[in-house]
Amino acid sequence: MSRLDGTFARLRARGERALVAYLTAGDPSLAGTRRLVLAAARGGADVVELGVPFSDPLADGPVIQRAGARALAAGASVARVLETVATLRAEVQVPLVLLTYYNPVLAFGLKAFARTAADAGVDGLIVADLPPEEADPLAAEAEAAGLDLIHMVAPTSTPRRVRLIARRSRGFIYLVSLTGVTGERQALPSDLAAQIRTLRLVTTKPVCVGFGISTADQVAAVGRLADGVIVGSAIVRLVEERAGSATLAEDVGNFIAELKAPLRAS
Amino acid sequence: MALSLPDARGHFGRYGGRFVPETLMAPLAELERAYAAARRDRRFRTRLAALLRDYAGRPTPLYHAARLSEHCGGARIWLKREDLCHTGAHKINNVLGQALLAARMKKRRVIAETGAGQHGVATATAAALLGLPCEVYMGTEDVERQALNVFRMRLLGARVIPVESGSRTLKDAINEALRDWVTNVRTTYYLLGSALGPHPYPMMVRDFHAVIGAEARAQSRRVLGGLPDVVVACVGGGSNAIGLFHRFIGDRRVRIVGVEPGGEGLATGRHGASMTAGRVGVLHGCMTYLLQNDDGQIAVAHSISAGLDYPGVGPEHAYYRDAGRFEFVAVTDEEALEGFQALTRLEGIMPALESAHAVAHAMRLAKTLPRSKTIVVGLSGRGDKDVHVVARALGTEVG
């Protein structure tokens, strides 16, 4: 059983929902990311997603775009992110999932990437611009290395695609709540419950919802429907705002604790 | 040579495909179906043909540049005059086709990206013609370089949205247009302007521009008494080039040459020659040759011509490059400026700086070939939009 499967099974048994916290690796620095991941785990994040920055992040809104640009400017690269994960793995048990775009993975080499990531202690992989139709080469390497390749379902996915994605996705299914890019939104989409129901009809795999979720209230609402809630831009914006502060890691840890609170078993 | 490309999944060999966020997968399939239905629809074809003839001004002439040829002292150079199209460039061919498709799909809004502004102006034009609201993404670097085209788009009723992210050029304008499309995909038609992006765009854009090569081929047979020996076109994303080249792919004796922007020279690293100096990767929905660093981060392209300032080339070009059917060469900013001036002085035709790259290479090539040989050059656009850039490069200021 993979570390992700174990985490979701344990949470389910306890009637608890997962908080998936996203951080852009290398923002403000890779050493900073190390501290932030430790703080996120202490704060109660059940899964940590690490964004591997790419020069052209077309699925991301302004907050994560800026974080990626800062990380690249500070010297983050695929190899250095993987090294950071390797040092983290000795200290945290929390499942670590990399979120990136296909080109940096291709440039590293599919086999080399999958093996190095697995050896470093990465558990899963999300590639924002790699739909199942194009994913066979990476899926084969990921499977051989024991990495979960996680796919996304969108509001525009047809029933046939929903089934395909549910079948292919490993670890969990990432449900994109809205048509759009990553970023905070005032309100949750009104059809979210229906989207989740549709997905539940075809799969028993854990469903985590992301895009546009930024407050504890929104997390609580989504937590009533899904197995996990993914928060990205709100955390990354906090990192941006407090980057120079001595209490950055503590502040992020506290914010994550606040987001996790409504997901604990009542 | 496989003329039935792309395959059913939108691949040209290993290139092309559909590398996009899941949100766009079903809409791209819908677009593919709508395009296939439109192509089968005689009324759609008739309407497009009528617009190309009466509105865009097709067919464009194949013109013998006698004085330019004389100057080079070798092969005869003929120009396929896309610069005479309405809006001043080949871009209108694709735009009319896709705008009719957008209307047929009952989309309420059209978005586009633009580099030099030619595709933006063409899209704004077609949107005005069909009464569609239009928004055009343009990097702030290009907004500055091409202020006149920005104002043209506004006059045509389009909204120009300056893009501040990344390198602030065409690649970032495409990122931003894709982000808009992901957000508004149910109501919005993304009118992509080059033969790249996710399937079906490379195929569709090629098909709408294939009229260039079809005309040039028929005209060559008529006025040259046979096919040309070489066809040459500039390649940024590669839309005018694939349009000119496509009908010649099966003509094995016709050499096909794409001219990439060599910028300040390949050795300086400041260029846009993805075929000559790039590696295979994935950007903007397709696998193709890209300028990138070892970490897979996309490099910034450099060219005096905003329309060639793109770090990749359409996937069909990549396929035919590997197959050995298309050759690619690079022409520097300086050589392009020489081509610009030569054509202006000797023929009274001011080419777009993009097209000046093709002219410059044709001149180079003509000198090495005997007078019995013929070269057809895709003159993709006219140069009015570039006069201020040329003035600055030559050390004068205008306006």
Side-chain angles (χ1 to χ4, degrees):
Chain A
M1 187 184 268
S2 76
R3 201 183 269 117
L4 278 168
D5 293 342
T7 295
F8 283 103
R10 200 165 52 246
L11 290 170
R12 259 188 196 176
R14 291 210 297 258
E16 199 176 316
R17 310 300 187 149
L19 178 71
V20 182
Y22 172 95
L23 294 161
T24 296
D27 173 40
S29 63
L30 284 164
T33 298
R34 233 178 88 75
R35 285 191 291 274
L36 289 171
V37 171
L38 297 174
R42 272 199 305 274
D46 301 289
V47 178
V48 175
E49 269 182 29
L50 281 177
V52 180
F54 176 49
S55 53
D56 294 82
L58 56 83
D60 285 306
V63 171
I64 294 179
Q65 284 177 44
R66 286 199 300 271
R70 285 194 298 271
L72 288 174
S77 65
V78 174
R80 297 192 60 205
V81 171
L82 293 175
E83 283 163 23
T84 304
V85 172
T87 66
L88 266 168
R89 197 29 103 202
E91 297 179 60
V92 283
Q93 278 308 304
V94 68
L96 294 169
V97 171
L98 299 183
L99 196 158
T100 189
Y101 292 80
Y102 198 33
N103 202 54
V105 178
L106 265 178
F108 199 89
L110 302 184
K111 188 188 278 291
F113 182 88
R115 285 194 178 163
T116 314
D119 288 349
V122 170
D123 300 290
L125 186 59
I126 307 171
V127 184
D129 57 352
L130 192 69
E133 284 86 341
E134 303 283 2
D136 285 348
L138 181 60
E141 297 300 344
E143 195 176 346
L147 277 182
D148 287 325
L149 184 60
I150 297 154
H151 286 291
M152 293 171 152
V153 165
T156 50
S157 302
T158 57
R160 199 171 144 200
R161 296 194 58 78
V162 171
R163 282 195 300 276
L164 170 74
I165 292 159
R167 200 168 58 239
R168 295 284 183 86
S169 199
R170 298 276 177 273
F172 62 87
I173 299 163
Y174 190 134
L175 188 142
V176 176
S177 72
L178 46 82
T179 57
V181 292
T182 58
E184 299 148 271
R185 308 288 200 282
Q186 290 292 321
L188 294 172
S190 55
D191 58 350
L192 185 58
Q195 276 193 69
I196 296 170
R197 266 201 307 277
T198 310
L199 191 50
R200 297 279 196 212
L201 290 175
V202 299
T203 185
T204 56
K205 290 177 184 170
V207 175
C208 296
V209 179
F211 281 48
I213 304 165
S214 58
T215 67
D217 285 348
Q218 289 172 337
V219 168
V222 177
R224 284 191 282 275
L225 305 164
D227 302 286
V229 186
I230 306 166
V231 179
S233 294
I235 297 170
V236 173
R237 192 167 48 80
L238 188 64
V239 174
E240 179 173 61
E241 286 168 4
R242 310 273 163 91
S245 156
T247 60
L248 170 66
E250 195 185 331
D251 294 344
V252 168
N254 288 341
F255 181 51
I256 284 169
E258 195 184 304
L259 296 172
K260 174 65 188 181
L263 299 177
R264 295 190 191 280
S266 45
Chain B
M1 205 55 61
L3 282 169
S4 57
L5 293 174
D7 66 20
R9 287 169 56 234
H11 289 246
F12 300 87
R14 68 184 292 211
Y15 302 106
R18 207 173 256 171
F19 295 86
V20 291
E22 171 60 24
T23 308
L24 293 180
M25 287 301 284
L28 284 166
E30 183 199 341
L31 175 61
E32 187 186 351
R33 283 192 301 273
Y35 173 60
R39 281 184 50 119
R40 285 193 303 269
D41 178 355
R42 188 139 51 98
R43 275 178 318 174
F44 180 87
R45 291 200 308 265
T46 310
R47 178 135 191 244
L48 178 57
L51 280 177
L52 288 174
R53 185 187 65 228
D54 305 331
Y55 187 75
R58 304 209 71 87
T60 59
L62 184 67
Y63 166 76
H64 181 206
R67 279 184 27 93
L68 184 73
S69 307
E70 194 58 37
H71 171 78
C72 297
R76 286 168 295 153
I77 299 173
W78 291 72
L79 306 175
K80 180 58 178 164
R81 298 288 308 274
E82 293 301 297
D83 60 315
L84 295 177
C85 285
H86 182 43
T87 72
H90 72 288
K91 294 286 185 190
I92 194 79
N93 305 324
N94 164 51
V95 156
L96 287 173
Q98 286 201 56
L100 284 181
L101 184 58
R104 199 172 186 274
M105 292 175 77
K106 305 210 165 19
K107 296 292 180 184
R108 296 199 295 269
R109 170 177 178 261
V110 168
I111 56 170
E113 81 295 336
T114 198
Q118 283 171 308
H119 175 60
V121 168
T123 304
T125 300
L129 175 70
L130 299 179
L132 288 164
C134 172
E135 292 178 44
V136 180
Y137 289 92
M138 189 172 188
T140 49
E141 174 110 345
D142 293 333
V143 167
E144 192 189 317
R145 286 197 282 191
Q146 301 290 347
L148 197 57
N149 271 344
V150 172
F151 188 57
R152 277 199 188 106
M153 287 184 261
R154 287 182 182 143
L155 285 173
L156 288 160
R159 193 159 82 95
V160 178
I161 306 172
V163 176
E164 278 289 350
S165 59
S167 65
R168 305 185 179 96
T169 61
L170 179 57
K171 128 183 129 66
D172 309 282
I174 297 178
N175 286 338
E176 214 50 42
L178 283 167
R179 289 180 187 120
D180 180 318
W181 200 37
V182 157
T183 308
N184 302 299
V185 66
R186 291 183 174 110
T187 58
T188 298
Y189 185 93
Y190 179 19
L191 209 161
L192 215 163
S194 202
L196 42 83
H199 180 61
Y201 284 106
M203 168 181 82
M204 190 162 69
V205 174
R206 172 200 72 198
D207 290 349
F208 286 134
H209 282 308
V211 64
I212 304 171
E215 286 176 9
R217 197 168 179 281
Q219 289 164 326
S220 297
R221 301 187 87 123
R222 206 158 56 238
V223 299
L224 308 177
L227 297 176
D229 297 287
V230 191
V231 292
V232 179
C234 66
V235 179
S239 70
N240 95 88
I242 201 67
L244 177 60
F245 296 168
H246 195 249
R247 288 295 161 86
F248 290 103
I249 291 170
D251 301 320
R252 297 312 305 256
R253 278 162 46 202
V254 179
R255 263 177 80 188
I256 297 178
V257 184
V259 184
E260 296 197 284
E264 294 170 18
L266 296 190
T268 67
R270 293 176 56 81
H271 59 81
S274 350
M275 286 296 196
T276 320
R279 281 186 299 124
V280 175
V282 165
L283 179 68
H284 296 146
C286 66
M287 184 172 283
T288 189
Y289 281 93
L290 301 170
L291 295 178
Q292 55 180 316
N293 70 12
D294 290 341
D295 193 40
Q297 308 297 336
I298 305 303
V300 176
H302 289 280
S303 171
I304 191 167
S305 138
L308 300 182
D309 224 343
Y310 183 74
V313 167
E316 192 162 7
H317 287 288
Y319 174 81
Y320 285 113
R321 175 207 131 126
D322 285 8
R325 183 66 188 98
F326 293 1
E327 302 163 41
F328 289 90
V329 296
V331 155
T332 63
D333 291 350
E334 207 182 314
E335 292 166 318
L337 278 166
E338 285 165 15
F340 178 97
Q341 292 176 88
L343 191 65
T344 303
R345 290 274 180 85
L346 294 167
E347 298 288 347
I349 297 171
M350 224 173 266
L353 279 173
E354 290 80 9
S355 324
H357 285 73
V359 171
H361 183 68
M363 290 173 64
R364 209 153 66 183
L365 201 58
K367 289 173 188 162
T368 68
L369 297 171
R371 278 170 198 276
S372 56
K373 301 285 185 185
T374 50
I375 303 173
V376 166
V377 181
L379 200 72
S380 55
R382 68 173 185 233
D384 313 42
K385 68 177 179 64
D386 292 319
V387 168
H388 64 292
V389 178
V390 173
R392 201 174 306 147
L394 298 179
T396 346
E397 280 296 328
V398 287

